[in-house]
Amino acid sequence: MSDIHPAGGTLAIRARVLSYHAHPLTEGVEASYRYIEDVLVVVRDGMVEAVGEAAGLLADLDPAIPLVDHRPHLLMPGFIDPHLHMPQTQVIGSYGTELMEWLSKYTFPEESRYGDPAVSDAAARFLMAELLRNGTTTAVAFCTSHPQSAESFFSEADRLGLRMVGGKVMMDRHAPDALLDTPERGYDESKDLIRRWHGRGRLSYAISPRFAPTSTEAQLEATGVLAAEHPDLHIQTHLSENHGEIAFVAELFPWAEDYTAVYERYGLVRRKALFGHCIHLSERERGALAEREATAVFCPTSNLFLGSGLYDRDAALAAGLRTGIATDIGGGTSYSMLTTAAEGYKVLALRGQKLRGHAAFYMLTAGNADAIGLNDRIGQVAPGFEADFVILDTAATPAQRRRAERIETLEEELFVLMTTGDERNVVATYAAGRKVHSRDGDRGLPGRLDQPAFAPSGGGMQGGETQAR
C-alpha cells in the first residue's frame, strides 16, 4: 500500500444526505435529523465548508474543486465504533466459551505475540483497512499491554489521517506473564505514549486498564493518578459483562459495594470514560455512571456470541446514561456497524424493546460521537465538522433491490439497510475529505465527473422532490 498524505482533502460531493443532530428517542424523530434528496457537500482542507441543495450551490462552486456525483446513494457521517480490540482480529469466531475461559483460551495467547513489531504492524494495517471497508472512520481500540501494539495502531492511523482513539492495556495480574506489566510500568509506558501520540494529527489516547480483575489495587491507584493528570483523556475498560466476572470482582474487592464502585474509588468514572458491556448493572450503578457523565457501550454481537446477557437500553435511557453501540471485535463477530445494529435490534427485541431505523443510524453516527465525547468534531454532516463520510448503496444486493420495490419511506429504507446490510453496501469511505476506500478498488480523490460515480442500483427513495428536515 502506498503512503497516503494525511492532509485534508478539498472536493465537493453530490448525493442524498442524512445527518442527525439530536437523539430520536428523547427529542422526537422529526426533530432529530436533516435529510435532503439532492445535496452538495463542499469540503475544504478536510473540513465541511457548506451543505445545501445542489441547485443552489453548484452555480457558485469553484471550477477548480473536484466534484464527485454519488447519486442516488446516501451520504452519512462515517460510522463510529467505540469499543474493539486490535489484537483480536485472528481470534474472531473462536468457539464461543464463556467470557473468562474465552480470554484465557484464545485471547491472552494471541495477545502475547504483540511485542513483535511485525505482528503489531500487520494487525494495525488489517484493522484500519477492514474498518474503512465497512464505512467506519473512527474507532476506540484496546491494544495489548505491549507499547509496540499502541505504536503500530497510532502509526497506521496517522499515516491514513484518521480520527482514532486507542491505548496500551494496563494489567498486572490474572494473565500470562508475557502480558503483565506492573503498576509502575503501566503508568510510565502509558505516560510516554500519551506524550508521543495524543493530539498528533487526529489521534487521541485512551487510558486503558483492561478491567478490574486484571489490575491490582496498586495499578488501579496508579491509573487514577494518570487519569487525574490528564483530565481530558478518554478512559476505556469493561464493566459487568458476565455473572462470573462480577462474582470474581466481588472476591477481589470485598470492600466494594458493587463492580462500578471499584472504578469510582480510583477516579475512573467521568466524561469520556467508556465502559464496555454494562449488561448487569444495578439501578445505583446506572445512576452513578450517568451522574458522572460516563458512557455505557452496548456490544450486541459479542454479548450474544459469548452468551453474556441482554443490554437494557430503556433502563439506561431512564437513568440518563449515555449509550454507545460497538462491534467489540473479536468477541463480536462482525466489523460491520450495520450488522452490529441489526444484532442490537434482536437483543433489544428479546427485552421487549425496539430499535427503529432512525434511532439506529443516530447511534452509529452522532450518538456514538456523543458517547465518546467527540460530538463537536465528528458525527454530523454540517459546516465546521470533519469531513468523514460513508457513501451507502441501500440496494446493493439482489435481495435488497427486490425488497426496495416495496419501500415507501426513509424510515423503512433505513430499517431494511440496518437489518440486511453489511460491507457490500459501502460504496466509498472518506476520511478528512479523502477517499480512503472504494468498493470498486480505486484510491485517492476522484476527478470532476459529469456522470454519477456509480451506476444506480435501483430501489427505494431515489429521485423525487427534495425533502428537508
Side-chain angles (χ1 to χ4, degrees):
M1 185 184 297
S2 62
D3 287 340
I4 295 176
H5 195 281
T10 297
L11 81 163
I13 303 176
R14 191 172 183 180
R16 296 190 293 142
V17 171
L18 174 63
S19 181
Y20 296 88
H21 49 265
H23 198 315
L25 296 183
T26 58
E27 303 300 320
V29 171
E30 295 303 315
S32 70
Y33 71 97
R34 186 185 189 203
Y35 170 68
I36 308 177
E37 285 268 355
D38 187 5
V39 174
L40 200 68
V41 180
V42 181
V43 175
R44 191 176 301 276
D45 298 328
M47 303 293 292
V48 178
E49 184 177 81
V51 180
E53 296 194 26
L57 292 179
L58 279 170
D60 296 325
L61 183 66
D62 183 347
I65 294 179
L67 171 65
V68 59
D69 193 337
H70 277 301
R71 293 177 297 170
H73 300 318
L74 185 65
L75 183 152
M76 294 189 67
F79 296 145
I80 299 165
D81 187 346
H83 184 102
L84 59 79
H85 297 259
M86 184 186 81
Q88 294 181 16
T89 57
Q90 289 183 296
V91 301
I92 188 171
S94 298
Y95 181 75
T97 59
E98 170 276 328
L99 171 66
M100 302 303 286
E101 183 183 353
W102 189 84
L103 288 172
S104 62
K105 186 174 182 179
Y106 304 115
T107 302
F108 290 157
E110 176 65 19
E111 292 189 2
S112 296
R113 304 170 57 234
Y114 276 69
D116 182 342
V119 172
S120 287
D121 287 351
R125 288 193 299 269
F126 175 83
L127 177 66
M128 301 296 169
E130 194 68 8
L131 292 176
L132 296 173
R133 193 167 72 92
N134 282 276
T136 298
T137 52
T138 294
V140 184
F142 289 83
C143 300
T144 70
S145 55
H146 309 96
Q148 176 59 52
S149 66
E151 292 281 345
S152 298
F153 174 83
F154 285 125
S155 293
E156 180 65 4
D158 190 49
R159 186 183 75 83
L160 294 168
L162 303 180
R163 167 79 49 203
M164 288 283 165
V165 183
K168 168 203 130 60
V169 160
M170 304 164 73
M171 59 180 180
D172 65 345
R173 64 173 172 178
H174 299 139
D177 289 345
L179 286 176
L180 297 180
D181 55 17
T182 66
E184 295 77 14
R185 272 184 47 215
Y187 173 90
D188 290 342
E189 290 170 351
S190 298
K191 190 86 169 176
D192 184 59
L193 289 164
I194 292 166
R195 177 185 61 80
R196 297 185 62 246
W197 291 107
H198 181 69
R200 176 172 170 173
R202 303 175 71 205
L203 306 176
S204 299
Y205 194 85
I207 299 168
S208 305
R210 187 183 203 108
F211 65 160
T214 53
S215 287
T216 61
E217 294 194 40
Q219 182 164 78
L220 290 171
E221 185 173 351
T223 304
V225 171
L226 189 65
E229 292 171 346
H230 299 280
D232 61 320
L233 259 59
H234 290 85
I235 299 169
Q236 60 176 348
T237 190
H238 299 79
L239 173 62
S240 294
E241 178 178 0
N242 170 280
H243 287 298
E245 166 207 10
I246 296 167
F248 193 26
V249 170
E251 292 178 18
L252 295 172
F253 303 93
W255 49 262
E257 178 180 358
D258 49 44
Y259 197 160
T260 302
V262 176
Y263 296 124
E264 289 178 283
R265 177 167 180 163
Y266 298 103
L268 302 179
V269 182
R270 69 185 191 193
R271 183 71 172 117
K272 294 168 71 173
L274 313 177
F275 294 91
H277 306 294
C278 295
I279 301 171
H280 307 290
L281 297 179
S282 67
E283 185 176 349
R284 190 211 76 81
E285 291 177 287
R286 289 191 191 92
L289 293 170
E291 181 180 356
R292 292 168 177 81
E293 300 186 272
T295 293
V297 183
F298 174 29
C299 304
T301 65
S302 172
N303 299 157
L304 290 171
F305 182 71
L306 295 174
S308 299
L310 307 175
Y311 184 76
D312 192 339
R313 181 204 59 196
D314 286 1
L317 278 172
L321 174 58
R322 281 184 177 85
T323 294
I325 186 168
T327 63
D328 191 26
I329 297 298
T333 52
S334 175
Y335 294 85
S336 170
M337 292 302 292
L338 297 174
T339 300
T340 298
E343 296 301 286
Y345 172 85
K346 297 169 190 174
V347 167
L348 295 176
L350 288 170
R351 273 209 172 267
Q353 302 168 17
K354 294 294 183 181
L355 182 62
R356 296 184 65 83
H358 280 299
F361 281 91
Y362 165 80
M363 290 186 76
L364 302 185
T365 57
N368 273 348
D370 180 59
I372 66 174
L374 294 176
N375 51 315
D376 60 336
R377 306 179 191 185
I378 57 174
Q380 294 188 45
V381 182
F385 280 76
E386 295 172 2
D388 293 347
F389 309 134
V390 58
I391 309 295
L392 295 165
D393 177 355
T394 63
T397 69
Q400 289 170 341
R401 286 192 288 276
R402 180 166 176 78
R403 177 64 179 87
E405 294 173 3
R406 297 291 185 268
I407 288 175
E408 297 180 353
T409 66
L410 176 61
E411 167 63 50
E412 191 176 4
E413 182 184 17
L414 294 174
F415 188 75
V416 172
L417 175 62
M418 176 186 81
T419 52
T420 68
D422 55 31
E423 69 276 8
R424 293 171 295 178
N425 297 95
V426 177
V427 173
T429 307
Y430 291 80
R434 292 170 296 101
K435 186 161 66 172
V436 289
H437 165 74
S438 169
R439 73 178 178 190
D440 284 1
D442 61 310
R443 282 191 171 275
L445 288 178
R448 179 174 288 276
L449 302 176
D450 295 325
Q451 300 296 326
F454 296 91
S457 297
M461 300 305 296
Q462 297 179 10
E465 183 179 353
T466 297
Q467 301 178 40
R469 286 181 175 83

